[in-house]
Amino acid sequence: AVGMAAGTIPLVITLRMSAAGNRALPAAAVLPFAATYALGMVFLSLGFTGTFLRWLSRPILAIRYLSDAAYWLYIAHLPLVAALQVACSRWALHWSLKWAMILAVALTVLLLSYQYLVRYSFIGRVLNGPRQRGQLLRETVPLQECTAPATGV
């Protein structure tokens, strides 16, 4: 938490300067700001690492699935998002609504295409290695959690 708090210092400095109308740093403040910014980013990275190690260190099925699908989403998103942007470019909606709709449609289409067209196909083997149905559950749940408790009968 301390690392993440320290990592926000450069952001606060930049926002305060922008609010005051100052776009550039005075020459005497460039080096201290650069050092603060560099240390802030190190602390921010360490803070996020600590946060994820603390709360996300155990296997979580949904996160594992999304991490497996991430490369496919990265590769396939550009043409789909571009087509959706062209399709809704003339709509009289605020940009934030268009963005949310494009995000929802693209993510739905890409995750469905990953599950049914990519995950267990040749493309899936190329992207993530060979995979068998049910393998994710076996890899994610430790063996001792899968066994039934012994009864005293």
Side-chain angles (χ1 to χ4, degrees), residues 10-35:
L11 178 62
V12 170
I13 292 171
T14 305
L15 289 174
R16 290 196 61 149
M17 285 177 46
S18 178
N22 299 338
R23 295 286 180 204
L25 285 171
V30 171
L31 186 60
F33 179 76

PDB file of all heavy atoms in Angstrom, residues 10-35:
ATOM      1  N   PRO A  10       4.151  11.469  -8.339  1.00  0.00           N
ATOM      2  CA  PRO A  10       4.359  12.207  -9.601  1.00  0.00           C
ATOM      3  C   PRO A  10       3.057  12.581 -10.290  1.00  0.00           C
ATOM      4  O   PRO A  10       2.954  13.650 -10.891  1.00  0.00           O
ATOM      5  CB  PRO A  10       5.165  11.223 -10.457  1.00  0.00           C
ATOM      6  CG  PRO A  10       5.758  10.266  -9.505  1.00  0.00           C
ATOM      7  CD  PRO A  10       4.831  10.186  -8.342  1.00  0.00           C
ATOM      8  N   LEU A  11       2.053  11.725 -10.199  1.00  0.00           N
ATOM      9  CA  LEU A  11       0.759  12.039 -10.806  1.00  0.00           C
ATOM     10  C   LEU A  11       0.133  13.259 -10.143  1.00  0.00           C
ATOM     11  O   LEU A  11      -0.381  14.160 -10.811  1.00  0.00           O
ATOM     12  CB  LEU A  11      -0.171  10.834 -10.705  1.00  0.00           C
ATOM     13  CG  LEU A  11      -1.577  11.023 -11.256  1.00  0.00           C
ATOM     14  CD1 LEU A  11      -1.529  11.313 -12.751  1.00  0.00           C
ATOM     15  CD2 LEU A  11      -2.423   9.811 -10.969  1.00  0.00           C
ATOM     16  N   VAL A  12       0.192  13.312  -8.826  1.00  0.00           N
ATOM     17  CA  VAL A  12      -0.378  14.449  -8.100  1.00  0.00           C
ATOM     18  C   VAL A  12       0.365  15.737  -8.460  1.00  0.00           C
ATOM     19  O   VAL A  12      -0.256  16.775  -8.705  1.00  0.00           O
ATOM     20  CB  VAL A  12      -0.328  14.194  -6.577  1.00  0.00           C
ATOM     21  CG1 VAL A  12      -0.691  15.443  -5.803  1.00  0.00           C
ATOM     22  CG2 VAL A  12      -1.248  13.042  -6.212  1.00  0.00           C
ATOM     23  N   ILE A  13       1.677  15.665  -8.540  1.00  0.00           N
ATOM     24  CA  ILE A  13       2.467  16.852  -8.899  1.00  0.00           C
ATOM     25  C   ILE A  13       2.077  17.333 -10.292  1.00  0.00           C
ATOM     26  O   ILE A  13       1.857  18.529 -10.525  1.00  0.00           O
ATOM     27  CB  ILE A  13       3.976  16.546  -8.826  1.00  0.00           C
ATOM     28  CG1 ILE A  13       4.401  16.321  -7.371  1.00  0.00           C
ATOM     29  CG2 ILE A  13       4.798  17.672  -9.449  1.00  0.00           C
ATOM     30  CD1 ILE A  13       5.817  15.806  -7.216  1.00  0.00           C
ATOM     31  N   THR A  14       1.977  16.415 -11.236  1.00  0.00           N
ATOM     32  CA  THR A  14       1.634  16.776 -12.609  1.00  0.00           C
ATOM     33  C   THR A  14       0.238  17.376 -12.690  1.00  0.00           C
ATOM     34  O   THR A  14       0.020  18.391 -13.376  1.00  0.00           O
ATOM     35  CB  THR A  14       1.726  15.535 -13.523  1.00  0.00           C
ATOM     36  OG1 THR A  14       3.027  14.960 -13.388  1.00  0.00           O
ATOM     37  CG2 THR A  14       1.483  15.895 -14.968  1.00  0.00           C
ATOM     38  N   LEU A  15      -0.723  16.777 -11.995  1.00  0.00           N
ATOM     39  CA  LEU A  15      -2.095  17.295 -12.027  1.00  0.00           C
ATOM     40  C   LEU A  15      -2.194  18.675 -11.383  1.00  0.00           C
ATOM     41  O   LEU A  15      -2.915  19.551 -11.870  1.00  0.00           O
ATOM     42  CB  LEU A  15      -3.041  16.314 -11.340  1.00  0.00           C
ATOM     43  CG  LEU A  15      -3.307  15.007 -12.083  1.00  0.00           C
ATOM     44  CD1 LEU A  15      -4.146  14.075 -11.238  1.00  0.00           C
ATOM     45  CD2 LEU A  15      -3.971  15.276 -13.419  1.00  0.00           C
ATOM     46  N   ARG A  16      -1.464  18.888 -10.302  1.00  0.00           N
ATOM     47  CA  ARG A  16      -1.501  20.215  -9.651  1.00  0.00           C
ATOM     48  C   ARG A  16      -0.896  21.283 -10.549  1.00  0.00           C
ATOM     49  O   ARG A  16      -1.386  22.401 -10.616  1.00  0.00           O
ATOM     50  CB  ARG A  16      -0.784  20.160  -8.310  1.00  0.00           C
ATOM     51  CG  ARG A  16      -1.586  19.339  -7.304  1.00  0.00           C
ATOM     52  CD  ARG A  16      -1.126  19.586  -5.947  1.00  0.00           C
ATOM     53  NE  ARG A  16      -1.310  21.006  -5.635  1.00  0.00           N
ATOM     54  CZ  ARG A  16      -1.558  21.478  -4.452  1.00  0.00           C
ATOM     55  NH1 ARG A  16      -1.676  20.647  -3.450  1.00  0.00           N
ATOM     56  NH2 ARG A  16      -1.689  22.755  -4.228  1.00  0.00           N
ATOM     57  N   MET A  17       0.203  20.916 -11.245  1.00  0.00           N
ATOM     58  CA  MET A  17       0.813  21.879 -12.158  1.00  0.00           C
ATOM     59  C   MET A  17      -0.129  22.207 -13.308  1.00  0.00           C
ATOM     60  O   MET A  17      -0.261  23.354 -13.723  1.00  0.00           O
ATOM     61  CB  MET A  17       2.132  21.327 -12.713  1.00  0.00           C
ATOM     62  CG  MET A  17       3.263  21.353 -11.723  1.00  0.00           C
ATOM     63  SD  MET A  17       4.749  20.617 -12.399  1.00  0.00           S
ATOM     64  CE  MET A  17       4.850  21.329 -13.992  1.00  0.00           C
ATOM     65  N   SER A  18      -0.789  21.174 -13.828  1.00  0.00           N
ATOM     66  CA  SER A  18      -1.708  21.379 -14.944  1.00  0.00           C
ATOM     67  C   SER A  18      -2.890  22.243 -14.506  1.00  0.00           C
ATOM     68  O   SER A  18      -3.345  23.111 -15.250  1.00  0.00           O
ATOM     69  CB  SER A  18      -2.186  20.029 -15.460  1.00  0.00           C
ATOM     70  OG  SER A  18      -3.108  20.201 -16.495  1.00  0.00           O
ATOM     71  N   ALA A  19      -3.406  22.011 -13.300  1.00  0.00           N
ATOM     72  CA  ALA A  19      -4.533  22.796 -12.799  1.00  0.00           C
ATOM     73  C   ALA A  19      -4.141  24.248 -12.587  1.00  0.00           C
ATOM     74  O   ALA A  19      -4.963  25.149 -12.729  1.00  0.00           O
ATOM     75  CB  ALA A  19      -5.058  22.190 -11.501  1.00  0.00           C
ATOM     76  N   ALA A  20      -2.879  24.479 -12.254  1.00  0.00           N
ATOM     77  CA  ALA A  20      -2.407  25.842 -12.028  1.00  0.00           C
ATOM     78  C   ALA A  20      -2.058  26.552 -13.333  1.00  0.00           C
ATOM     79  O   ALA A  20      -1.703  27.722 -13.329  1.00  0.00           O
ATOM     80  CB  ALA A  20      -1.188  25.825 -11.109  1.00  0.00           C
ATOM     81  N   GLY A  21      -2.130  25.847 -14.453  1.00  0.00           N
ATOM     82  CA  GLY A  21      -1.829  26.465 -15.737  1.00  0.00           C
ATOM     83  C   GLY A  21      -0.376  26.351 -16.141  1.00  0.00           C
ATOM     84  O   GLY A  21       0.015  26.861 -17.187  1.00  0.00           O
ATOM     85  N   ASN A  22       0.444  25.684 -15.346  1.00  0.00           N
ATOM     86  CA  ASN A  22       1.862  25.510 -15.685  1.00  0.00           C
ATOM     87  C   ASN A  22       2.021  24.238 -16.506  1.00  0.00           C
ATOM     88  O   ASN A  22       1.755  23.148 -16.039  1.00  0.00           O
ATOM     89  CB  ASN A  22       2.715  25.391 -14.422  1.00  0.00           C
ATOM     90  CG  ASN A  22       2.625  26.626 -13.561  1.00  0.00           C
ATOM     91  OD1 ASN A  22       2.291  27.687 -14.061  1.00  0.00           O
ATOM     92  ND2 ASN A  22       2.915  26.482 -12.286  1.00  0.00           N
ATOM     93  N   ARG A  23       2.475  24.367 -17.726  1.00  0.00           N
ATOM     94  CA  ARG A  23       2.660  23.208 -18.590  1.00  0.00           C
ATOM     95  C   ARG A  23       4.084  22.658 -18.499  1.00  0.00           C
ATOM     96  O   ARG A  23       4.310  21.495 -18.748  1.00  0.00           O
ATOM     97  CB  ARG A  23       2.349  23.554 -20.046  1.00  0.00           C
ATOM     98  CG  ARG A  23       0.912  23.919 -20.263  1.00  0.00           C
ATOM     99  CD  ARG A  23       0.064  22.689 -20.199  1.00  0.00           C
ATOM    100  NE  ARG A  23      -1.331  23.057 -20.415  1.00  0.00           N
ATOM    101  CZ  ARG A  23      -2.338  22.346 -19.987  1.00  0.00           C
ATOM    102  NH1 ARG A  23      -2.135  21.253 -19.331  1.00  0.00           N
ATOM    103  NH2 ARG A  23      -3.560  22.735 -20.211  1.00  0.00           N
ATOM    104  N   ALA A  24       5.053  23.479 -18.163  1.00  0.00           N
ATOM    105  CA  ALA A  24       6.456  23.055 -18.122  1.00  0.00           C
ATOM    106  C   ALA A  24       7.015  23.258 -16.722  1.00  0.00           C
ATOM    107  O   ALA A  24       6.609  24.155 -15.989  1.00  0.00           O
ATOM    108  CB  ALA A  24       7.274  23.855 -19.128  1.00  0.00           C
ATOM    109  N   LEU A  25       7.950  22.400 -16.381  1.00  0.00           N
ATOM    110  CA  LEU A  25       8.618  22.519 -15.087  1.00  0.00           C
ATOM    111  C   LEU A  25       9.694  23.595 -15.148  1.00  0.00           C
ATOM    112  O   LEU A  25      10.344  23.756 -16.186  1.00  0.00           O
ATOM    113  CB  LEU A  25       9.308  21.194 -14.724  1.00  0.00           C
ATOM    114  CG  LEU A  25       8.425  20.061 -14.256  1.00  0.00           C
ATOM    115  CD1 LEU A  25       9.241  18.785 -14.163  1.00  0.00           C
ATOM    116  CD2 LEU A  25       7.819  20.373 -12.917  1.00  0.00           C
ATOM    117  N   PRO A  26       9.922  24.311 -14.056  1.00  0.00           N
ATOM    118  CA  PRO A  26      11.085  25.204 -14.015  1.00  0.00           C
ATOM    119  C   PRO A  26      12.361  24.373 -14.114  1.00  0.00           C
ATOM    120  O   PRO A  26      12.385  23.205 -13.720  1.00  0.00           O
ATOM    121  CB  PRO A  26      10.980  25.876 -12.645  1.00  0.00           C
ATOM    122  CG  PRO A  26       9.614  25.583 -12.142  1.00  0.00           C
ATOM    123  CD  PRO A  26       9.101  24.397 -12.873  1.00  0.00           C
ATOM    124  N   ALA A  27      13.417  24.947 -14.650  1.00  0.00           N
ATOM    125  CA  ALA A  27      14.663  24.213 -14.884  1.00  0.00           C
ATOM    126  C   ALA A  27      15.201  23.580 -13.603  1.00  0.00           C
ATOM    127  O   ALA A  27      15.712  22.457 -13.624  1.00  0.00           O
ATOM    128  CB  ALA A  27      15.706  25.151 -15.491  1.00  0.00           C
ATOM    129  N   ALA A  28      15.060  24.245 -12.469  1.00  0.00           N
ATOM    130  CA  ALA A  28      15.586  23.722 -11.213  1.00  0.00           C
ATOM    131  C   ALA A  28      14.781  22.527 -10.699  1.00  0.00           C
ATOM    132  O   ALA A  28      15.253  21.762  -9.863  1.00  0.00           O
ATOM    133  CB  ALA A  28      15.603  24.822 -10.156  1.00  0.00           C
ATOM    134  N   ALA A  29      13.566  22.341 -11.197  1.00  0.00           N
ATOM    135  CA  ALA A  29      12.711  21.268 -10.698  1.00  0.00           C
ATOM    136  C   ALA A  29      12.720  20.025 -11.579  1.00  0.00           C
ATOM    137  O   ALA A  29      12.135  19.010 -11.213  1.00  0.00           O
ATOM    138  CB  ALA A  29      11.277  21.781 -10.573  1.00  0.00           C
ATOM    139  N   VAL A  30      13.408  20.072 -12.715  1.00  0.00           N
ATOM    140  CA  VAL A  30      13.373  18.943 -13.641  1.00  0.00           C
ATOM    141  C   VAL A  30      14.019  17.711 -13.030  1.00  0.00           C
ATOM    142  O   VAL A  30      13.445  16.618 -13.048  1.00  0.00           O
ATOM    143  CB  VAL A  30      14.032  19.314 -14.986  1.00  0.00           C
ATOM    144  CG1 VAL A  30      14.209  18.092 -15.868  1.00  0.00           C
ATOM    145  CG2 VAL A  30      13.202  20.361 -15.707  1.00  0.00           C
ATOM    146  N   LEU A  31      15.213  17.840 -12.477  1.00  0.00           N
ATOM    147  CA  LEU A  31      15.908  16.685 -11.913  1.00  0.00           C
ATOM    148  C   LEU A  31      15.183  16.102 -10.699  1.00  0.00           C
ATOM    149  O   LEU A  31      14.976  14.878 -10.635  1.00  0.00           O
ATOM    150  CB  LEU A  31      17.361  17.046 -11.568  1.00  0.00           C
ATOM    151  CG  LEU A  31      18.226  15.881 -11.103  1.00  0.00           C
ATOM    152  CD1 LEU A  31      18.300  14.802 -12.177  1.00  0.00           C
ATOM    153  CD2 LEU A  31      19.620  16.374 -10.752  1.00  0.00           C
ATOM    154  N   PRO A  32      14.764  16.924  -9.726  1.00  0.00           N
ATOM    155  CA  PRO A  32      14.003  16.336  -8.617  1.00  0.00           C
ATOM    156  C   PRO A  32      12.700  15.670  -9.065  1.00  0.00           C
ATOM    157  O   PRO A  32      12.336  14.612  -8.556  1.00  0.00           O
ATOM    158  CB  PRO A  32      13.706  17.530  -7.694  1.00  0.00           C
ATOM    159  CG  PRO A  32      14.713  18.540  -8.040  1.00  0.00           C
ATOM    160  CD  PRO A  32      15.053  18.335  -9.479  1.00  0.00           C
ATOM    161  N   PHE A  33      12.017  16.261 -10.040  1.00  0.00           N
ATOM    162  CA  PHE A  33      10.782  15.650 -10.526  1.00  0.00           C
ATOM    163  C   PHE A  33      11.080  14.322 -11.220  1.00  0.00           C
ATOM    164  O   PHE A  33      10.365  13.338 -11.022  1.00  0.00           O
ATOM    165  CB  PHE A  33      10.050  16.583 -11.489  1.00  0.00           C
ATOM    166  CG  PHE A  33       8.783  15.981 -12.020  1.00  0.00           C
ATOM    167  CD1 PHE A  33       7.651  15.914 -11.223  1.00  0.00           C
ATOM    168  CD2 PHE A  33       8.724  15.467 -13.308  1.00  0.00           C
ATOM    169  CE1 PHE A  33       6.471  15.347 -11.699  1.00  0.00           C
ATOM    170  CE2 PHE A  33       7.554  14.897 -13.782  1.00  0.00           C
ATOM    171  CZ  PHE A  33       6.431  14.841 -12.983  1.00  0.00           C
ATOM    172  N   ALA A  34      12.125  14.279 -12.039  1.00  0.00           N
ATOM    173  CA  ALA A  34      12.484  13.042 -12.731  1.00  0.00           C
ATOM    174  C   ALA A  34      12.844  11.950 -11.729  1.00  0.00           C
ATOM    175  O   ALA A  34      12.444  10.793 -11.887  1.00  0.00           O
ATOM    176  CB  ALA A  34      13.637  13.286 -13.698  1.00  0.00           C
ATOM    177  N   ALA A  35      13.595  12.307 -10.678  1.00  0.00           N
ATOM    178  CA  ALA A  35      13.949  11.320  -9.657  1.00  0.00           C
ATOM    179  C   ALA A  35      12.702  10.847  -8.909  1.00  0.00           C
ATOM    180  O   ALA A  35      12.538   9.644  -8.655  1.00  0.00           O
ATOM    181  CB  ALA A  35      14.960  11.926  -8.684  1.00  0.00           C
TER     182      ALA A  35
END
